[in-house]
Amino acid sequence: MKKTAAKKQPKKAPARASHDTALPDAFRDFMLRDWRPKKARKIPLVKGAKNFHARRRALSERFPGEYLVIPTGHEKVRANDTFYRFRPGSDFYYLTGNVEPDCVLVLEPTGKKGHKDVLFVEPNTGRSDETFFADRNKGELWVGPRMGVPESEAHYGVDACLGLDELPDYLAKTKGAPVRVLRGFSEGVEKAVKSKRKDDEELATVLAEMRLIKDDLEVRELQKAVDSTKRGFEDIIERLKIAKSEREIEGVFNLRARMEGNDVGYGTIAAAGANACILHWTRNDAKVKAGDLVLIDAGVEAETLYTADVTRVLPVSGKFSKEQREVYELVLEANLAAIAAVKPGNDFLDPHRAAMRVLAEGLERMGILEDAEEALQEDKQYYRRYTLHNTSHMLGLDVHDCAKARQEAYRYGQLQPGMVLTIEPGLYFQVDDLTVPAKYRGIGVRIEDDVLVTARGCRVLTRDIPKGVEEVEAWMEEVWARQN
Ligand code: GLY
Ligand code: MN
């Protein structure tokens, strides 16, 4: 073996664990040489580059003359030296399309108006130091290839890209200038900003309110997530023929999410029988029995991180019983009434009001509420014993999207074209609820659609996922027939 490669130490020694083996100099030298040089190639722009750029310009206009620092966050420890799969901060992703951990976007003010987009990424030293084979967290031979600084500058179409190792000095130099940091993603970045702080919450709020209105790319990606979710529900139907446990249902759905998207957008709820009366039943550790209804609340998160959020209730044996059907049809009526109330200019809460009226009146007909009008009164709200949650939330990169928007722009605001929200009324009759006739106890139903507000009304993105009683039964039959 010839000794040719110069010894070059990385700036910071790669992360080591006690079970890592030592690195003799001779071995390091051997590893650093005789690699075929990388071919120069044209780096393509990230898909949606125009949209990401337009979003950065819109944000820039809101904060003239100020530095805006937006970190994506870091990998989170799952156990000891293993991490959860990294998921970028939604605002950082919304502005860049970048999915690597640790990165930071800075909008650097250019005088009184305008900003320069500076993206900080992990440098890629190629084969020039030991990181590529010795760094278990970043090394190419450990976790796969990644872009470096010049490649990222070209790919993300930003004005400048710098290495993360330059970030502390860069932030220190902002001292004295107005700086806002998007908090909650990187303690290190927050500490490194020494400058006079502005109201950081306002940065989070502005981003959340920008994200209330989806652009064309976002709507297309949400539709993709919904379409994958439909296929995930069909996988579940197939599996129901033999499924013994809720875990199996979760598993087949999650497989579809990983096959077609990035992941699930939230923990899949697969609730058989009375577990459907527990809103976020993600334990999914119960058995599935013939005659049960199974409530599945699940969403595929697309590669672009937009998620669907869909709930369907399926009869395990393929047919609803009389009582199951009665409850189901009432929730369906509420779902349809709520969707009819989705149009520009209506209150965000109008669909909820419409759904709750339908449910309260139905509960009166079933003999569960004595008087729907009384139950609907602001100071009584008795119907809520059975409905438990709100009808809608915004949907997008986060399943509960835009949570930092001001109440007057979201909960007490009006619907506007481009908003995407869920419509998800439900009825939950607990097994031990003595106000409910015994025949209905243990039945839980939620029917959840994803809806885009359009210029005149709405488009139901989930319209192809059957939800009428007959449609659901026919859908299950059709999927089972395909299997044979
Ligand atoms: N998908 C669960 C929820 O909306 O809370
Ligand atoms: Mn939801």
Side-chain angles (χ1 to χ4, degrees), residues 55-358:
R55 295 169 197 167
R56 292 195 296 270
R57 299 289 60 79
L59 181 65
S60 159
E61 276 180 26
R62 300 295 298 270
F63 296 102
E66 299 182 17
Y67 279 89
L68 307 175
V69 180
I70 298 148
T72 193
H74 310 289
E75 290 183 299
K76 293 187 173 68
V77 171
R78 180 176 186 275
N80 188 26
D81 62 351
T82 56
F83 297 91
Y84 290 103
R85 186 179 300 128
F86 179 71
R87 207 285 191 175
S90 298
D91 289 315
F92 173 85
Y93 177 81
Y94 176 75
L95 295 167
T96 61
N98 177 310
V99 295
E100 280 177 58
D102 307 328
C103 299
V104 179
L105 173 70
V106 179
L107 265 58
E108 179 185 308
T110 48
K112 285 211 177 85
K113 242 179 87 188
H115 288 83
K116 178 176 160 188
D117 305 328
V118 186
L119 180 63
F120 288 85
V121 303
E122 184 69 28
N124 188 341
T125 48
R127 301 281 198 257
S128 66
D129 67 36
E130 70 190 48
T131 46
F132 79 94
F133 70 91
D135 186 331
R136 55 177 47 243
N137 298 324
K138 302 271 186 185
E140 187 169 322
L141 301 194
W142 284 88
V143 296
R146 106 188 108 70
M147 278 188 272
V149 171
E151 295 86 355
S152 297
E153 188 173 301
H155 185 60
Y156 296 107
V158 289
D159 299 313
C161 215
L162 296 172
L164 276 167
D165 49 347
E166 299 180 65
L167 182 63
D169 285 350
Y170 177 94
L171 291 178
K173 281 192 201 133
T174 64
K175 200 159 187 237
V179 183
R180 295 182 203 248
V181 185
L182 189 71
R183 300 197 164 261
F185 291 90
S186 176
E187 251 182 67
V189 169
E190 289 175 25
K191 280 198 191 128
V193 173
K194 298 273 183 292
S195 187
K196 179 172 72 176
R197 298 257 160 75
K198 297 280 277 186
D199 177 3
D200 294 331
E201 263 315 299
E202 201 186 328
L203 174 58
T205 302
V206 164
L207 280 163
E209 293 183 10
M210 281 170 61
R211 285 170 49 193
L212 280 171
I213 309 292
K214 270 64 185 175
D215 62 27
D216 54 342
L217 177 67
E218 295 184 285
V219 172
R220 277 202 305 279
E221 291 302 322
L222 280 162
Q223 185 67 64
K224 263 196 226 163
V226 164
D227 296 345
S228 291
T229 298
K230 180 182 183 191
R231 289 187 280 279
F233 274 84
E234 295 190 339
D235 297 337
I236 290 173
I237 294 174
E238 274 187 25
R239 190 73 191 187
L240 277 181
K241 273 277 184 205
I242 54 161
K244 299 211 167 28
S245 72
E246 297 169 339
R247 286 274 157 95
E248 266 177 86
I249 294 172
E250 175 190 338
V252 295
F253 186 84
N254 292 12
L255 173 62
R256 179 63 62 176
R258 286 292 285 162
M259 277 163 51
E260 294 194 11
N262 179 56
D263 206 335
V264 287
Y266 54 94
T268 295
I269 297 167
N275 289 338
C277 300
I278 298 163
L279 298 179
H280 285 173
W281 177 260
T282 51
R283 271 185 236 165
N284 301 344
D285 61 356
K287 289 197 163 54
V288 172
K289 299 188 294 297
D292 275 351
L293 287 182
V294 52
L295 180 153
I296 299 131
D297 182 340
V300 172
E301 177 184 82
E303 287 290 0
T304 51
L305 310 183
Y306 287 86
T307 188
D309 179 7
V310 182
T311 309
R312 290 292 184 265
V313 174
L314 305 170
V316 172
S317 51
K319 297 275 177 225
F320 289 85
S321 74
K322 182 167 168 293
E323 289 76 22
Q324 289 168 348
R325 185 181 181 122
E326 255 182 275
V327 179
Y328 189 94
E329 290 199 318
L330 178 53
V331 176
L332 182 60
E333 193 188 332
N335 168 287
L336 296 173
I339 291 174
V342 179
K343 52 178 163 224
N346 274 10
D347 289 350
F348 170 79
L349 285 174
D350 279 340
H352 179 62
R353 293 182 189 117
M356 293 307 110
R357 169 156 294 278
V358 168

Side-chain angles (χ1 to χ4, degrees), residues 266 269 280 297 308-311 389-395 399-400 421-424 446 448-450:
Y266 54 94
I269 297 167
H280 285 173
D297 182 340
D309 179 7
V310 182
T311 309
H389 57 82
N390 293 323
T391 302
S392 302
H393 57 79
M394 296 296 175
L395 185 68
V399 62
H400 296 165
L421 62 152
T422 64
I423 294 292
E424 50 176 312
R446 172 163 68 255
E448 178 174 28
D449 287 303
D450 303 338

